[in-house]
């Protein structure tokens, strides 16, 4: 049986990315503003967010698929090439490893969704 070791800081950090809301100057501040996601994660969120803001038909479901369903990258790329405005952004090994962490994958998926919604 494979043993996994998770650093306490890593667990706390992952939860802050999803649930780290604060009030700043009397206004609600989302987690990614208070606890920035890793650059390679934020870059992928920004890529999908830019495409959605362009108003060319990318839905939340399509964006979440491109951000989270990374095991089916061939299909995601094919769909993107049909309707995307920008070039497809391949999933980096670093992003894949981070998102598919054997213990923290669920909370990191939530962090990506929250980061995208409030981008």
């Amino acid at each position: 049986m494979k043993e996994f070791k998770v650093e306490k800081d890593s667990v706390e950090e992952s939860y802050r990315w999803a649930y780290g809301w604060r009030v700043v100057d009397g206004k609600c501040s989302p987690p990614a503003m208070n606890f920035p996601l890793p650059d390679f994660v934020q870059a992928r969120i920004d890529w999908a967010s830019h495409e959605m803001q362009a108003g060319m038909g990318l839905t939340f479901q399509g964006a979440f698929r491109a951000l989270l369903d990374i095991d089916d990258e061939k299909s995601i790329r094919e769909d993107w090439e049909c309707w995307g405005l920008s070039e497809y952004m391949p999933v980096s090994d670093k992003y894949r490893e981070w998102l598919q962490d054997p213990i923290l994958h669920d909370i990191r998926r939530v962090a990506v969704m929250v980061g995208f919604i409030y981008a």
Side-chain angles (χ1 to χ4, degrees):
M1 181 177 216
K2 189 172 183 179
E3 185 176 317
F4 297 103
K5 183 178 179 184
V6 177
E7 298 292 326
K8 180 181 175 194
D9 290 345
S10 181
V11 172
E12 290 174 358
E13 182 176 50
S14 292
Y15 275 82
R16 282 192 301 263
W17 289 328
Y19 301 112
W21 292 87
R22 290 192 171 158
V23 175
V24 177
D25 296 328
K27 295 180 183 176
C28 214
S29 179
M33 299 299 253
N34 306 313
F35 306 100
L37 291 159
D39 290 343
F40 59 92
V41 175
Q42 191 61 54
R44 190 159 185 87
I45 289 170
D46 291 346
W47 162 74
S49 179
H50 173 73
E51 196 75 21
M52 190 166 186
Q53 290 173 17
M56 295 304 291
L58 180 62
T59 63
F60 275 107
Q61 183 176 357
F64 289 151
R65 183 169 175 252
L67 293 168
L68 303 173
D69 294 341
I70 57 177
D71 287 335
D72 192 14
E73 188 169 14
K74 181 181 178 199
S75 176
I76 295 168
R77 179 189 298 269
E78 288 171 357
D79 288 350
W80 195 272
E81 289 172 354
C82 287
W83 50 259
L85 292 176
S86 63
E87 287 189 36
Y88 178 74
M89 180 183 206
V91 178
S92 70
D93 291 339
K94 200 170 187 179
Y95 183 87
R96 185 178 307 280
E97 182 180 310
W98 181 87
L99 189 63
Q100 295 178 334
D101 180 274
I103 295 173
L104 299 171
H105 56 81
D106 286 337
I107 194 63
R108 288 183 176 174
R109 290 173 62 89
V110 170
V112 168
M113 289 186 277
V114 170
F116 175 77
I117 291 168
Y118 295 98

